[in-house]
Amino acid sequence: MKGQQLSFDLPVRPALGRDDFFVSPANAMAVVLIESWQSWAGRKLALIGPAGSGKTHLAHVWAAASGARIVPARDLVTADIPALAAGPVVVEDVQKIAGNRNAEEALFHLHNLVLAEGHHMLVTADREPHLWGLTLPDLMSRMQGTQAVRLDQPDDQLLSAVVAKLFADRQLAPGPDVISYLVARMDRSMQAARDLVARVDREALAQKRPITRRLAAEVLGQSELPDFLDGST
């Protein structure tokens, strides 16, 4: 029955392949640079965007293409830097180590070793390098000299694809009418999409109801839809 899929308490399995990443004007430039990584200026790139904007997804896409290892910036303090520098590397959430002298020094050494070995480096953060608050001057200059690309706020086209993907990650497939209803009324961010899909899934599971526009309206706090607009009749 179309649009009437019930929710079950199944594990969330994010799909992080290139085919699962939807391209729109909001992220097209970032995708182009990720796919043409061999020509990065200085063999490095900073991928900038708010939480949930797709940075991690694109980082995994690039890691799959380049053979890179992925490491959170905070883990660099205890990481084997020479081993990481033996190939391409992704360092995620660099802004989180601002003021941590040991972590900043580890990133500085990793940066230099990776490039000296002829490999590529991708770093991610939620803002531009000059706003990271790094305190190590040598690291600051190298990061600020890194080519950066930003993932912009999502448009309707991208949000629709993201909401559909988030439901698919939960092994759910509500009808297009539900997705368009949510996108037209939700906050305009990837994080809002993640939170909203989780809430809809949770309510459907708790109430043992299919995911319809009526349920979506209730989750959003909207007035109930007439039956003929609910998609359930």
Side-chain angles (χ1 to χ4, degrees), residues 91-159:
V91 181
E92 291 197 293
D93 297 318
V94 174
Q95 81 281 351
K96 291 184 178 180
I97 65 170
N100 183 331
R101 183 76 178 189
N102 291 334
E104 288 193 23
E105 289 180 349
L107 178 56
F108 174 70
H109 293 306
L110 177 62
H111 170 280
N112 291 346
L113 280 173
V114 167
L115 298 186
E117 294 291 334
H119 301 303
H120 288 66
M121 170 179 277
L122 175 67
V123 297
T124 73
D126 63 358
R127 66 202 76 141
E128 282 69 18
H130 70 281
L131 299 174
W132 291 350
L134 299 173
T135 56
L136 188 65
D138 288 339
L139 176 62
M140 193 185 316
S141 66
R142 282 161 175 75
M143 291 295 101
Q144 291 184 12
T146 300
Q147 180 182 11
V149 62
R150 184 170 186 86
L151 294 164
D152 293 328
Q153 288 292 345
D155 51 28
D156 281 359
Q157 186 181 27
L158 179 55
L159 275 178

